[in-house]
Amino acid sequence: MQPTLQPVTLQKIGNEFAIAWSDGTESYLALETLRRHCPCAACCGEPDVTGHVDLPKPPEFTPASFDLKGWRLVGGYAIEPHWNDGHRSGLYSYPHLRKLAAQD
């Protein structure tokens, strides 16, 4: 059984979020990319019982939207960023973060 991938170190460096992973790799995500890919229901919508997703009105971003104020770890599977515009409902799973970093 493979060990679960975990962040070892998390840092905001300028306009990037840096993650050192337990497998020895590092990820660097632009803060704007991180925010624009927020997986929360308010940003992406959520499926109803039939699986239909009503997309919400896209967020109106300001410079504060891309300023990372802080974050917290959620269980052993996600990070919850806290943005300077008050948004903090997105839970970014570790696989989601790795995928975003590979695309960035």
Side-chain angles (χ1 to χ4, degrees):
M1 178 179 218
Q2 277 189 322
T4 304
L5 184 68
Q6 297 286 317
V8 175
T9 305
L10 303 166
Q11 286 185 319
K12 177 184 171 187
I13 303 172
N15 290 327
E16 290 187 317
F17 189 58
I19 307 169
W21 297 100
S22 56
D23 67 356
T25 62
E26 295 178 349
S27 298
Y28 298 89
L29 291 126
L31 295 178
E32 184 172 345
T33 298
L34 193 63
R35 177 61 191 274
R36 289 188 183 276
H37 289 88
C38 179
C40 80
C43 292
C44 294
E46 63 183 323
D48 62 17
V49 294
T50 66
H52 175 75
V53 177
D54 280 323
L55 296 177
K57 179 181 170 195
E60 292 184 25
F61 294 117
T62 67
S65 302
F66 307 118
D67 184 17
L68 186 61
K69 184 177 179 179
W71 59 86
R72 74 178 184 99
L73 298 177
V74 178
Y77 71 96
I79 295 168
E80 178 188 69
H82 302 165
W83 301 96
N84 246 341
D85 65 354
H87 187 69
R88 63 186 309 162
S89 59
L91 296 182
Y92 294 73
S93 70
Y94 300 152
H96 182 63
L97 290 167
R98 290 285 288 244
K99 182 179 172 185
L100 284 177
Q103 295 171 357
D104 202 18

